[in-house]
Amino acid sequence: MNIFLYAKSTGQSFNSWKRLLRIQKAERLLINTQKSVADISEILGYENPETFIRAFKKELHITPAKYRNREITPKTVSVETHSI
């Protein structure tokens, strides 16, 4: 499918779609790896971490570091154990 047909059928530009995919991959990397924000920005093809941080915050209204801390915190809380 060419870019024009994609945009017409989805109402979303190719660049918007590409940006969304990058942010979704960033979310997975932030949650599932210990890679630094700088490393993740490089993996995703950003020229520098600041550009990545700005794009991430524009989409999700939170910085990558805060996103990672928010996502990890509930998973690291210990679960209460009950005696049987």
Side-chain angles (χ1 to χ4, degrees):
M1 177 182 294
N2 72 31
I3 295 170
F4 175 74
L5 289 176
Y6 174 81
K8 188 174 180 181
S9 66
T10 65
Q12 183 180 40
S13 73
F14 176 75
N15 287 335
S16 294
W17 173 77
K18 184 175 153 185
R19 186 173 43 252
L20 180 63
L21 286 179
R22 287 169 115 183
I23 297 301
Q24 289 173 343
K25 185 169 184 179
E27 289 180 278
R28 288 192 304 272
L29 290 169
L30 288 164
I31 293 168
N32 298 317
T33 73
Q34 293 301 312
K35 293 184 183 302
S36 69
V37 170
D39 287 344
I40 291 171
S41 73
E42 185 176 337
I43 289 167
L44 297 174
Y46 286 92
E47 289 188 27
N48 59 62
E50 291 78 17
T51 303
F52 165 62
I53 292 167
R54 206 170 20 256
F56 191 94
K57 189 171 182 179
K58 183 178 180 180
E59 288 296 321
L60 300 180
H61 308 287
I62 189 171
T63 65
K66 287 182 180 177
Y67 179 89
R68 173 180 270 160
N69 291 336
R70 185 193 73 188
E71 289 299 317
I72 289 175
T73 302
K75 293 178 183 175
T76 59
V77 174
S78 63
V79 177
E80 291 182 35
T81 57
H82 299 284
S83 300
I84 297 178

